[in-house]
Amino acid sequence: MEVFIRILKYLKPYKKTVYLLLFLMLMYVVLNLFSMAMLVPLIDVIFTDISAVTPQSTIAIDITKGNLKDQLTGWLYQTMNQYSKHDALMYVCIIIAIGFLLKNLTAYLQMYLNAAIEQGILRDLRNDVQRHLHKLSLHFFMARRKGHLISMVMNDVRLITESIMAILSTVFRDPPTIFVSVTILLIFNWKLTMIILLVTPIFGFIIGRIGNKLKKYSLRYQEKLAEITALMDETISGVRVIKAFKMEKHEIEKFETHTERLYKIFVKLSRIRSISSPLSEYLGILLAAIVLWFGGQGIIAKTSPMTAGQFIFYLTILLSMLQPIKIITQVYNSVREGTAAGERLFGILDINPRIVDSHDATVIKEFKHSIVFDNASFKYDTSDLVLKNINLQVSKSEIIAIVGPSGSGKSTFVDLIPRFYDPLEGSIKIDGIDLRNVTQDSLRDLMGIVTQETILFNDSVAANIGYGVKDVPHEKIIEAAKIANAHNFIENLSDGYKTMVGDRGVKLSGGERQRLAIARAVLKNPPILILDEATSSLDPESEMLVQEALERLMKNRTSFVIAHRFSTIQNADRVVVMEKGKIVQVGKYTDLVSADGLFKKLYNLQFRL
Ligand code: ADP
């Protein structure tokens, strides 16, 4: 229930439209009943002998006296009696025409407003999720599959919206219709109506059980759908590896087992979903048949308190209640499904970002003298200590190369500098201020990051270089590309700087992608650089071009370079050697080469000495 109330809060921005919608619904209810009420005079006054059925021709409307049913119908008869049958028929027809016109007009307006609200909520929910995701720190994304998140943004959000709309489009239409209808039925024949009312809790029980099952299967369905989206994402991203290892068959089989399970869950879900509405309709009809049998006998025997017209009206009202009852069961089911989806979605929206700016965080405008690691240790949620008591002081304009076996903690070490993670113990300070007391924006403004896996967006070359920099003139982009050794290859692309790079830059070679990423960093012109240089996939010519570009980029900047190439190490002011999360050696390249230790081993390995 709590979840559903929270879901309903998404209606708030559309308050005015919602009020209008609810008003239209009430109008609809009134017009609907009115159009049915026209049946009574139609049958009794026009098609039968009025005098035989008119209770008291002079009756006045006074709900405090006498029988309300007779008063209401009497008033109608009386009104109709003023006219000839011919005229009365004409008036009834005109009123029906106008009544139905208005009724359908309100129905049209409702549908139109519904769509605006529905799409608005869908948009708001999606934007909320996206906005929230951007607030969350890397921990969150490391622990989840991309496909799950995508599925949630697309599917859960849709289910939630559908449940809101289901409520909205019925709340003022169907429950009031039922309430008014029941009242009328009670007025017309309270004994018969009481019997009907006693039977309805049985309906409620059956429908409630269906709702519970529906929620269970709906949750399972959404989870399976999320898994399939994740799998799809992974197979598309990893298509090269799949082909290289000839794993297509295996992947297809894996996918098919998932789709098969999804199919089974969906069939089950549909079975439950589909049964509720025909079932409720059938139970209603059954009831109506019983009423017709007992009520009809009274009419035939002329012992009924109702006239034929009144009885037809009674039955019409009873039958017309079936549709709203059916809709309410559908709404109830939709709410169960929406709540299940809401639980998942709010589970994510309620996660607090771990990396937040403290309320008195400082905005740093420039990098003045140093970055200091002070006894910093770190672990991931699911790992042991990955960094242990790291102490290092880096002065402005120093180039620090970081080397070490894979898994020694190099990437984690550099991830702490832009505060992608906070150390578990100890601290990292920039110009003497703990990173936790600096705003993330101002900190990251000082940094350029070129990672091993160059992330390009499916946009033009120019937009990728200018990413993160506002209103950058084209000449600046060209200038940056030239420094990054990228200008020549860009000029040779089909559309030059306007060429689209494809998803994640697939249309470019590894070296080209790297040079674009370097151009991006050149353009940003940050005082601090973090590089994870990767050259293993590059041919010698690309490697040389990338290397040159990197050297130009690092000039006059404080750089942290995860070094794979010994040429970078030679240019570094100091080399930090890491092993199992610890710094085991720090020094100049020439000193480390001659000293006994891990660096010498790595050096020998690289040159196969
Ligand atoms: P390197 O860059 O030197 O190869 P990393 O910093 O990537 O090393 O990893 C250091 C250690 O942390 C490794 O043992 C790795 O398995 C672990 N690790 C890295 N990322 C995560 C993560 N998101 N969750 C849990 N453990 C991780």
Side-chain angles (χ1 to χ4, degrees):
M1 194 61 199
E2 211 175 288
V3 173
F4 198 70
I5 290 173
R6 202 166 152 191
I7 290 176
L8 285 183
K9 287 198 177 135
Y10 276 88
L11 277 173
K12 222 169 161 191
Y14 307 97
K15 225 162 42 186
K16 280 189 194 151
T17 323
V18 169
Y19 289 148
L20 185 59
L21 194 67
L22 296 183
F23 170 73
L24 284 172
M25 266 180 223
L26 273 180
M27 285 270 295
Y28 182 87
V29 173
V30 172
L31 288 167
N32 200 23
L33 278 170
F34 173 78
S35 36
M36 281 186 296
M38 291 313 291
L39 276 172
V40 181
L42 194 69
I43 292 170
D44 281 346
V45 180
I46 298 167
F47 298 127
T48 55
D49 186 5
I50 309 166
S51 55
V53 290
T54 306
Q56 295 152 1
S57 58
T58 53
I59 200 158
I61 298 194
D62 183 355
I63 51 165
T64 56
K65 273 191 230 151
N67 184 329
L68 184 64
K69 172 195 67 172
D70 287 343
Q71 287 176 23
L72 282 174
T73 45
W75 174 75
L76 263 174
Y77 298 145
Q78 189 190 355
T79 315
M80 303 297 284
N81 261 338
Q82 294 170 7
Y83 306 101
S84 67
K85 274 196 178 190
H86 182 270
D87 283 356
L89 182 63
M90 185 179 73
Y91 287 128
V92 167
C93 291
I94 291 172
I95 292 170
I96 286 175
I98 295 173
F100 274 85
L101 179 71
L102 286 175
K103 181 183 133 180
N104 284 296
L105 208 60
T106 52
Y108 157 74
L109 277 174
Q110 273 176 52
M111 270 192 268
Y112 168 73
L113 293 177
N114 261 341
I117 298 175
E118 180 171 6
Q119 291 305 313
I121 294 174
L122 212 57
R123 174 194 61 198
D124 297 348
L125 267 168
R126 285 193 176 130
N127 288 349
D128 266 10
V129 178
Q130 175 77 346
R131 209 174 298 130
H132 185 70
L133 288 182
H134 280 295
K135 271 195 221 148
L136 293 175
S137 36
L138 289 188
H139 302 89
F140 171 82
F141 297 95
M142 292 296 163
R144 274 176 189 76
R145 288 166 85 184
K146 213 179 351 159
H148 281 198
L149 294 174
I150 295 171
S151 164
M152 196 158 59
V153 174
M154 301 314 293
N155 301 317
D156 286 358
V157 158
R158 186 179 47 80
L159 278 184
I160 293 173
T161 310
E162 275 173 12
S163 70
I164 300 179
M165 293 320 290
I167 282 278
L168 192 63
S169 55
T170 51
V171 68
F172 263 27
R173 193 186 62 198
D174 300 301
T177 306
I178 292 173
F179 178 76
V180 175
S181 305
V182 169
T183 314
I184 294 174
L185 294 187
L186 280 169
I187 293 171
F188 271 68
N189 194 336
W190 70 269
K191 275 188 206 152
L192 206 55
T193 313
M194 282 311 284
I195 296 169
I196 298 171
L197 288 182
L198 286 177
V199 184
T200 39
I202 302 170
F203 288 20
F205 176 74
I206 297 170
I207 286 157
R209 282 193 60 125
I210 292 175
N212 283 340
K213 274 203 166 165
L214 210 62
K215 186 181 167 195
K216 191 172 98 188
Y217 281 100
S218 169
L219 206 61
R220 271 195 212 167
Y221 180 75
Q222 291 303 314
E223 276 164 6
K224 197 80 260 137
L225 202 61
E227 229 167 89
I228 287 182
T229 317
L231 204 65
M232 195 81 187
D233 168 59
E234 280 158 18
T235 39
I236 292 173
S237 312
V239 66
R240 256 174 226 274
V241 183
I242 295 170
K243 283 195 188 304
F245 284 85
K246 297 192 303 257
M247 289 294 274
E248 289 97 337
K249 202 160 163 255
H250 168 79
E251 289 298 330
I252 290 168
E253 277 167 11
K254 191 159 89 181
F255 193 77
E256 285 176 353
T257 49
H258 281 286
T259 48
E260 182 62 24
R261 255 180 261 155
L262 184 77
Y263 164 79
K264 287 198 172 130
I265 296 172
F266 189 77
V267 169
K268 202 149 196 172
L269 184 67
S270 297
R271 209 184 300 153
I272 303 166
R273 206 186 263 161
S274 327
I275 190 77
S276 63
S277 140
L279 187 74
S280 62
E281 181 171 310
Y282 180 68
L283 289 174
I285 287 287
L286 209 60
L287 201 67
I290 296 167
V291 170
L292 185 60
W293 172 245
F294 288 109
Q297 284 184 21
I299 297 288
I300 295 168
K302 294 207 165 55
T303 54
S304 171
M306 293 188 280
T307 62
Q310 286 170 349
F311 183 59
I312 297 284
F313 177 62
Y314 185 93
L315 268 181
T316 315
I317 293 278
L318 186 66
L319 287 172
S320 73
M321 268 169 57
L322 296 184
Q323 186 64 11
I325 288 175
K326 198 168 114 180
I327 290 173
I328 286 175
T329 52
Q330 281 166 356
V331 170
Y332 173 72
N333 291 337
S334 169
V335 167
R336 295 305 301 239
E337 290 191 64
T339 314
E343 275 168 18
R344 270 161 58 97
L345 192 81
F346 293 140
I348 299 281
L349 286 181
D350 288 345
I351 295 174
N352 286 324
R354 287 210 220 164
I355 310 279
V356 282
D357 286 350
S358 60
H359 64 276
D360 53 354
T362 318
V363 174
I364 41 169
K365 295 242 160 50
E366 56 174 332
F367 175 44
K368 292 194 189 109
H369 50 82
S370 67
I371 292 176
V372 178
F373 280 73
D374 183 7
N375 217 17
S377 297
F378 177 80
K379 75 184 272 304
Y380 293 100
D381 290 345
T382 51
S383 73
D384 294 332
L385 273 186
V386 170
L387 294 177
K388 297 166 196 159
N389 308 97
I390 302 287
N391 285 297
L392 187 72
Q393 176 154 4
V394 179
S395 307
K396 189 171 177 177
S397 303
E398 252 194 299
I399 296 178
I400 301 288
I402 303 150
V403 297
S406 133
S408 57
K410 304 181 294 290
S411 306
T412 312
F413 172 84
V414 296
D415 273 352
L416 296 187
I417 305 168
R419 212 184 156 209
F420 287 154
Y421 301 105
D422 279 336
L424 189 69
E425 280 167 27
S427 65
I428 299 155
K429 298 193 178 90
I430 182 163
D431 293 338
I433 313 169
D434 193 319
L435 292 190
R436 282 174 278 224
N437 297 325
V438 174
T439 64
Q440 293 172 68
D441 279 358
S442 70
L443 178 70
R444 290 173 195 162
D445 267 348
L446 299 178
M447 298 179 187
I449 302 170
V450 180
T451 51
Q452 210 173 82
E453 192 196 347
T454 312
I455 304 294
L456 297 179
F457 297 96
N458 190 5
D459 206 333
S460 69
V461 169
N464 266 293
I465 296 178
Y467 188 75
V469 188
K470 268 193 196 137
D471 304 324
V472 53
H474 194 59
E475 302 79 63
K476 288 253 175 208
I477 290 183
I478 296 180
E479 202 180 301
K482 280 183 178 159
I483 296 174
N485 270 345
H487 181 68
N488 287 344
F489 92 77
I490 297 172
E491 289 275 88
N492 286 330
L493 294 173
S494 58
D495 262 336
Y497 280 83
K498 289 194 192 123
T499 312
M500 300 298 281
V501 301
D503 252 2
R504 303 183 135 230
V506 283
K507 293 187 193 163
L508 302 174
S509 77
E512 288 167 347
R513 280 204 294 271
Q514 278 233 322
R515 280 178 278 157
L516 279 196
I518 294 170
R520 190 190 272 171
V522 169
L523 190 72
K524 191 178 174 191
N525 195 19
I528 301 165
L529 263 184
I530 295 168
L531 304 178
D532 192 348
E533 58 158 32
T535 48
S536 48
S537 59
L538 302 185
D539 57 87
E541 196 198 334
S542 296
E543 183 178 339
M544 198 194 71
L545 291 169
V546 169
Q547 176 66 24
E548 253 179 38
L550 282 176
E551 275 164 25
R552 281 191 218 134
L553 177 65
M554 284 191 278
K555 204 171 265 172
N556 300 325
R557 294 181 218 269
T558 313
S559 307
F560 295 85
V561 191
I562 297 180
H564 303 273
R565 249 187 316 253
F566 272 65
S567 47
T568 313
I569 301 172
Q570 284 166 33
N571 292 335
D573 294 301
R574 276 190 294 164
V575 179
V576 170
V577 188
M578 295 191 71
E579 187 181 26
K580 294 184 183 146
K582 283 191 183 149
I583 295 181
V584 289
Q585 282 179 297
V586 183
K588 277 194 170 307
Y589 171 74
T590 43
D591 297 341
L592 290 176
V593 172
S594 49
D596 275 342
L598 179 62
F599 187 79
K600 197 169 180 178
K601 268 194 227 158
L602 294 171
Y603 178 87
N604 289 345
L605 264 176
Q606 183 145 74
F607 293 106
R608 309 213 187 281
L609 293 173

